[in-house]
Amino acid sequence: MSTRWHIRPYYPNDRDALFRIAGDTAFFGNPIEAYMEDRRLFLDAFYAYYTDYESEHAWVAVADGKLIGFLVGNLDPKKYRRTMAHKIIPAVIKRLGQGEYRIGPKTRRYLREVALAFIRGEIPKADEMLYPSHLHVNVDAQWRGLGIGKELLMSYLNHSRCLGVPGVHLQTTNLNRAACHVYESLGFSLLEARKTRMWEWIVNEKVENRCYGMRL
């Protein structure tokens, strides 16, 4: 495998490849099928916003013409919530009602545990006045350890600075050890950490939800 790669802005025809990597890495760096039968539900609910409504802030890593990693972000939390409430979620609910997604016991258990995590207050948050931007970064399993995630983050951070964004934040867990190390090496601070029980049914380790932030 060649180790030559480069970072560039996201293009609309990158969508399918970006979704593939997002689904392949959604379970602590592994495929989402560990806790959801149909990845389309997850991708439509969690990633369609970034590719369809705010793609100008997305970056991708490419090697030999193939997308191998990406970073998507949002600079306006009010726009994000408004679009999710009026566009993304209604579209997902409509598809659910039409039977377009395959829903099984894993999906039902996951959605239940997510709801309980919110009720129990297990999801850490950032102050949106200080850290209005948020991001998600994922790298194909075969390309990790080469600094691709770090380069994607640096591209996004420089982009955000040029646009006058005061700060960025992201959410992850303690199980994403390599990613946490990268965030900390770039200057992100751990804003808050909360223990969670939402993964007890599928992970044999104690999980801690983390929120990292960086002032720009």
Side-chain angles (χ1 to χ4, degrees):
M1 180 181 69
S2 170
T3 57
R4 298 181 62 182
W5 48 270
H6 66 279
I7 307 296
R8 64 162 172 78
Y10 169 88
Y11 302 150
N13 60 2
D14 295 323
R15 192 179 192 269
D16 288 346
L18 187 152
F19 272 30
R20 176 188 61 78
I21 294 176
D24 286 348
T25 59
F27 178 58
F28 304 109
N30 295 303
I32 193 173
E33 283 75 17
Y35 63 86
M36 186 171 285
E37 285 86 359
D38 191 340
R39 64 171 56 189
R40 293 175 301 166
L41 172 59
F42 171 79
L43 297 171
D44 289 346
F46 290 97
Y47 278 98
Y49 170 82
Y50 304 102
T51 58
D52 300 355
Y53 294 92
E54 204 164 344
S55 62
E56 67 271 24
H57 306 310
W59 297 82
V60 297
V62 178
D64 298 325
K66 179 182 178 181
L67 195 145
I68 58 172
F70 70 86
L71 185 151
V72 292
N74 160 255
L75 272 59
D76 184 345
K78 291 183 179 179
K79 175 185 176 182
Y80 174 78
R81 286 193 291 269
R82 184 171 61 250
T83 305
M84 289 294 290
H86 297 290
K87 299 289 186 179
I88 301 295
I89 301 304
V92 170
I93 292 174
K94 181 180 179 180
R95 294 188 191 107
L96 276 170
Q98 295 173 339
E100 294 187 19
Y101 301 124
R102 184 162 54 92
I103 305 299
K106 289 190 291 186
T107 300
R108 288 191 287 270
R109 178 65 183 270
Y110 169 69
L111 295 176
R112 172 178 175 272
E113 294 300 331
V114 170
L116 289 173
F118 275 97
I119 293 171
R120 293 191 295 254
E122 297 173 357
I123 311 298
K125 297 180 180 180
D127 184 337
E128 290 184 349
M129 294 296 293
L130 299 176
Y131 310 95
S133 172
H134 73 259
L135 63 89
H136 302 276
V137 57
N138 301 77
V139 177
D140 186 278
Q142 297 182 9
W143 290 86
R144 293 172 194 159
L146 300 175
I148 294 172
K150 186 173 184 179
E151 290 294 329
L152 286 166
L153 284 161
M154 291 174 65
S155 296
Y156 183 77
L157 294 173
N158 290 334
H159 172 74
S160 299
R161 288 190 185 97
C162 290
L163 294 176
V165 178
V168 302
H169 74 276
L170 61 92
Q171 292 180 324
T172 185
T173 74
N174 62 306
L175 298 191
N176 291 322
R177 296 176 181 87
C180 291
H181 176 73
V182 172
Y183 303 143
E184 293 165 4
S185 72
L186 285 174
F188 280 84
S189 299
L190 181 60
L191 302 178
E192 187 178 9
R194 298 185 183 182
K195 294 180 180 179
T196 181
R197 289 179 283 167
M198 67 176 288
W199 298 107
E200 288 182 347
W201 64 288
I202 196 170
V203 173
N204 293 323
E205 296 183 55
K206 298 293 184 181
V207 181
E208 178 183 82
N209 286 326
R210 293 182 175 183
C211 182
Y212 283 91
M214 177 189 287
R215 294 282 287 161
L216 302 177

